[in-house]
Amino acid sequence: MVDRPNKPAALATTPGLPPQAQVNITHDNSRVNAVLPSGESIEVLLYGATVTSWKDRAGNERLWLSDAAKLDGSKAVRGGIPLVFPVFGTAPDHAATSKLPQHGFARTSIWEFMGSSTSESTGKSDNSVKLDFGLSQSNLTDESKKLWPHPFSLQYSVTLTPDSLGTGMVITNQGDQPFEAQLLMHTYLRVKDITKVSVTGLEESDYVDKVDAAKTKKQSGTVTISGETDRVYTPAKGPSHPVVVSEGGAATFTVVRDNLDDVVVWNPWIEKAAGMGDFEPKDGYKNMICIEAGAVKGWQKLEAGDAFEGAQVISV
């Protein structure tokens, strides 16, 4: 056979089709990961549908995950993006959720992976992937069913593009009686030095200061972190106005919300971090800030058959 110097190379992809994201289920069917053709990636743990990793094309991590985070389903994950539903914190005076554990059961339940879709079907850029997850009453443990007897469904979508991560939730009341619920996406963003971080977009906004006896205050300017911080903001300019995290004066993350009126800003600082067994390294508070999009100041009431939808997009 004659060896031709210009023979065609093996085809890497189907002719005429652009490269598509690769989606795999790993770790004994407990995790879903997706990698874009350009190299960005995400990983989602089915326990809690928790996004545990979001990397840029160079492999740099954009989310903070504790070195001691439990990824075996034994407790809620410390870091990434845990999901809070149907109660934020605890609500001893709210009959429907008073007996639930802190932050509810969504972050400690096993979700179903419902499948993936690429840019062709998501309508996003030519380089994106959407992962869909579901949770309903039938997925709950017997204990959670006793504490939350309301038929419901949660549909959670995680969308990765080269320069953004979007997360969206649809809550549906599948029962014949109304229920009230809260929702929060507890996002841990990775930073290099918390003392150089500033947050804009919350100016002139009312907030509840949970470190200072839950007093209601108003933000006068840029938010900076110099001690334990736990604040529930209702941004004055609404969900579509961006909340921007800057470091050393340069914007690193921009968060825009859809139908989620509240933003929690959290950093445990020295003493609180030292007291959490699953927070490692203990000085990890220097490298994270939580900017948490949610609907938590009041309650979302869903009548029979009603649905509530909320979402965020984090851009870099």
Side-chain angles (χ1 to χ4, degrees):
M1 184 182 236
V2 178
D3 185 21
R4 291 178 294 152
N6 297 317
K7 63 185 178 182
L11 294 175
T13 58
T14 305
L17 288 179
Q20 296 291 326
Q22 300 299 309
V23 178
N24 294 290
I25 303 175
T26 64
H27 295 77
D28 293 326
N29 297 318
S30 67
R31 304 184 199 182
V32 181
N33 63 62
V35 183
L36 295 180
S38 48
E40 296 82 3
S41 67
I42 51 174
E43 183 172 78
V44 184
L45 190 68
L46 290 181
Y47 181 75
T50 311
V51 181
T52 55
S53 176
W54 170 29
K55 293 179 180 177
D56 65 16
R57 64 188 62 189
N60 299 309
E61 185 59 67
R62 289 169 169 159
L63 298 177
W64 185 87
L65 183 70
S66 169
D67 290 348
K70 303 296 184 184
L71 303 180
D72 60 358
S74 59
K75 68 177 297 185
V77 177
R78 174 69 65 190
I81 311 180
L83 297 174
V84 173
F85 173 88
V87 60
F88 173 57
T90 57
D93 298 327
H94 187 255
T97 59
S98 62
K99 296 179 182 178
L100 288 174
Q102 177 162 304
H103 293 333
F105 52 74
R107 65 181 188 152
T108 55
S109 296
I110 304 293
W111 291 59
E112 291 183 64
F113 176 47
M114 310 300 288
S116 63
S117 48
T118 56
S119 51
E120 208 169 76
S121 53
T122 61
K124 299 285 184 183
S125 68
D126 291 336
N127 191 6
S128 70
V129 63
K130 181 166 74 80
L131 307 177
D132 294 316
F133 304 88
L135 182 72
S136 65
Q137 193 180 38
S138 62
N139 302 110
L140 299 185
T141 63
D142 289 341
E143 179 65 18
S144 292
K145 288 176 184 176
K146 290 177 186 176
L147 299 178
W148 180 261
H150 308 285
F152 74 98
S153 72
L154 302 180
Q155 295 171 279
Y156 183 52
S157 298
V158 180
T159 303
L160 176 69
T161 77
D163 56 5
S164 71
L165 178 67
T167 61
M169 181 80 79
V170 180
I171 305 165
T172 304
N173 181 353
Q174 294 189 323
D176 55 12
Q177 298 295 320
F179 66 70
E180 294 182 324
Q182 296 173 325
L183 169 67
L184 183 85
M185 299 168 188
H186 198 308
T187 308
Y188 290 72
L189 298 174
R190 177 174 285 276
V191 298
K192 294 177 181 177
D193 183 353
I194 190 64
T195 65
K196 297 180 180 178
V197 168
S198 61
V199 182
T200 56
L202 300 173
E203 297 82 3
E204 302 305 315
S205 300
D206 293 332
Y207 68 92
V208 174
D209 191 342
K210 297 176 75 174
V211 174
D212 188 13
K215 292 178 182 175
T216 299
K217 303 179 180 180
K218 187 179 287 287
Q219 184 65 40
S220 59
T222 299
V223 178
T224 56
I225 309 296
S226 58
E228 182 185 349
T229 303
D230 192 355
R231 303 174 181 176
V232 183
Y233 286 88
T234 302
K237 295 183 179 179
S240 61
H241 185 77
V243 174
V244 180
V245 178
S246 299
E247 190 163 2
T252 51
F253 298 99
T254 299
V255 182
V256 174
R257 295 157 292 124
D258 183 4
N259 205 33
L260 296 174
D261 289 340
D262 307 314
V263 172
V264 176
V265 178
W266 184 73
N267 182 288
W269 211 247
I270 301 168
E271 291 185 10
K272 192 79 175 275
M276 291 187 285
D278 61 352
F279 195 100
E280 292 288 350
K282 291 306 180 188
D283 64 354
Y285 70 89
K286 297 177 180 177
N287 306 120
M288 51 75 64
I289 183 170
C290 285
I291 304 292
E292 312 166 27
V296 297
K297 282 285 268 299
W299 296 88
Q300 301 300 318
K301 185 174 183 178
L302 277 70
E303 299 290 346
D306 277 358
F308 172 83
E309 184 171 2
Q312 69 170 349
V313 175
I314 310 167
S315 302
V316 292

